[in-house]
Amino acid sequence: MTRRTVIKAAGAGTLASGFATSARGASRAAAGDTLVVVEKSSHAVSFYDVASGRRLATVGLPDYPHEMVVDSRGRFAYVGHYGVRMSSTAGEGGAAVFVIDLVGRSLARTIDTRPFRRIHGMGIDREDRLYALSEERAVLLGFDAPATDEAPSRAVPTHGVKTHLFTLSRDGERAYVTGLLSHTVSLVRPYDAAVPPLLVTPGQLPESSCLSRDEKTLFVGARKSAALVAVDARTMKVRHSRKTGGDPLRVYTLDDERLLVTDVVADTLSVWSTDLRPIRSLKLDGTPAAVSLHPAEPLAYVSLLGTDRVAVVDLERLAVVGGFGTGSEPDSSVLLPAASRGASRR
């Protein structure tokens, strides 16, 4: 096995070299960019200027919003109302999708999803059709015109238990849904509920996943098994599994050859090859909850629990190059480049 190199980040506000830094030094490409962050225990979505770390606006929401996606025009964000702090928290939870106006930086409206509750996983396809996952009912909801829909357009059962997150194919024809209590990943067809789901057990407590660029392989983080698992995205057969030695909470595709993994026990951000070899790892000064990737630059924005900060990470050097404070328990985020925001205003 390739030896893993651990790069320890210096404390907040310094680079490993010892020089002072801020989000301003992260990259010239960051000038004018905005990071939209779900702050689940502040019960809000906030907008931050990446270059300065300045909070631009905050949209208050009902208790405990969690996951978020943004449409292709950067016009609306859709936030699931989970309604409880953590997956282990008892309670009915929320039953809504919040529609955030990204230009006006306000709550545009709320889509009622009752009787489907604990809305957590969110996805959007290349046609800007929206998908939201009810953990309580183990049902994947679809919204064909989310900018105007008042209720779901469709719903398909996932055959998992305590379904938490999902990965969507670009065309929206396949969804891969993780079940925390069933320890399964289900391949479901959002537009044909008559097709039985295909299930696999990749390990214990699978939570997040991502598809390879060619959408032929699904990569799954099995948390209690401390493993990364490669699954055939069509047959749902396990191809390969590799122990990580920690708790792989979230898995992201960087390119054709690399994955990015957050570990909430070791507090690390790690790069793995797509054939599941460890490459490099970065120690963080907080627990990495979620990552937002810049669409054009090698930058990652890592939400850190406990310290209530976003760390800006240069993916080429795998080093913290900036960061800024947030509200309580920053979670999912989306980076809005300056160019895309300008286009949405025209």
Side-chain angles (χ1 to χ4, degrees):
M1 178 184 296
T2 303
R3 185 176 69 89
R4 174 151 51 170
T5 302
V6 178
I7 306 172
K8 292 188 177 181
T14 63
L15 289 173
S17 63
F19 291 103
T21 186
S22 70
R24 187 182 302 278
S27 171
R28 284 181 296 177
D33 290 352
T34 299
L35 191 71
V36 187
V37 184
V38 174
E39 298 162 336
K40 65 182 184 182
S41 287
S42 285
H43 319 301
V45 168
S46 290
F47 296 72
Y48 293 90
D49 176 73
V50 171
S52 65
R54 182 169 64 92
R55 186 193 301 261
L56 303 173
T58 294
V59 180
L61 297 173
D63 286 0
Y64 300 114
H66 276 222
E67 298 299 303
M68 173 177 60
V69 291
V70 169
D71 67 21
S72 62
R73 296 175 57 243
R75 185 65 181 83
F76 294 109
Y78 301 95
V79 181
H81 187 200
Y82 193 50
V84 293
R85 180 171 171 263
M86 299 174 66
S87 63
S88 58
T89 305
E92 286 187 335
V97 171
F98 305 122
V99 184
I100 308 295
D101 183 334
L102 295 175
V103 176
R105 295 172 180 165
S106 62
L107 177 62
R109 61 195 187 87
T110 298
I111 305 174
D112 191 336
T113 62
R114 288 177 294 181
F116 304 103
R117 293 189 170 274
R118 291 175 76 111
I119 304 301
H120 193 259
M122 303 289 291
I124 199 162
D125 67 20
R126 65 190 179 197
E127 303 298 327
D128 282 337
R129 296 174 298 190
L130 180 70
Y131 308 81
L133 183 61
S134 167
E135 181 185 88
E136 177 251 350
R137 291 291 183 99
V139 167
L140 183 65
L141 308 175
F143 303 82
D144 292 346
T148 56
D149 282 342
E150 297 294 337
S153 308
R154 60 191 72 250
V156 294
T158 67
H159 292 218
V161 180
K162 203 172 182 64
T163 51
H164 202 60
L165 290 171
F166 66 95
T167 294
L168 191 68
S169 62
R170 287 185 287 270
D171 61 8
E173 294 296 329
R174 292 175 286 145
Y176 300 86
V177 183
T178 57
L180 297 181
L181 279 182
S182 54
H183 305 290
T184 55
V185 180
S186 309
L187 166 56
V188 302
R189 304 285 179 172
Y191 295 93
D192 194 348
V195 177
L198 280 178
L199 275 70
V200 64
T201 303
Q204 297 297 295
L205 199 69
E207 183 159 341
S208 77
S209 64
C210 63
L211 280 166
S212 59
R213 289 277 183 93
D214 62 9
E215 299 193 339
K216 293 181 179 180
T217 305
L218 184 77
F219 300 101
V220 182
R223 297 183 59 190
K224 281 191 175 179
S225 297
L228 282 178
V229 185
V231 176
D232 187 296
R234 295 288 182 175
T235 66
M236 297 301 285
K237 303 295 184 183
V238 172
R239 289 177 176 166
H240 188 43
S241 180
R242 177 66 62 90
K243 291 287 186 179
T244 66
D247 185 339
L249 177 68
R250 302 247 185 175
V251 186
Y252 303 89
T253 302
L254 286 179
D255 51 36
D256 290 335
E257 299 179 348
R258 300 177 302 159
L259 306 172
L260 192 67
V261 181
T262 64
D263 189 309
V264 296
V265 167
D267 288 345
T268 57
L269 185 70
S270 298
V271 178
W272 288 71
S273 69
T274 51
D275 60 359
L276 305 188
R277 291 179 295 105
I279 299 173
R280 302 178 77 184
S281 186
L282 171 68
K283 182 73 174 178
L284 299 166
D285 63 356
T287 301
V291 176
S292 182
L293 300 173
H294 195 290
E297 299 295 328
L299 293 172
Y301 302 87
V302 186
S303 299
L304 299 178
L305 300 176
T307 56
D308 294 337
R309 288 180 59 78
V310 167
V312 184
V313 175
D314 182 325
L315 293 173
E316 290 183 338
R317 293 186 288 146
L318 201 63
V320 176
V321 294
F324 49 87
T326 67
S328 181
E329 292 197 302
D331 202 347
S332 59
S333 66
V334 175
L335 192 283
L336 301 179
S340 72
R341 293 200 320 280
S344 69
R345 288 190 178 100
R346 287 195 292 269

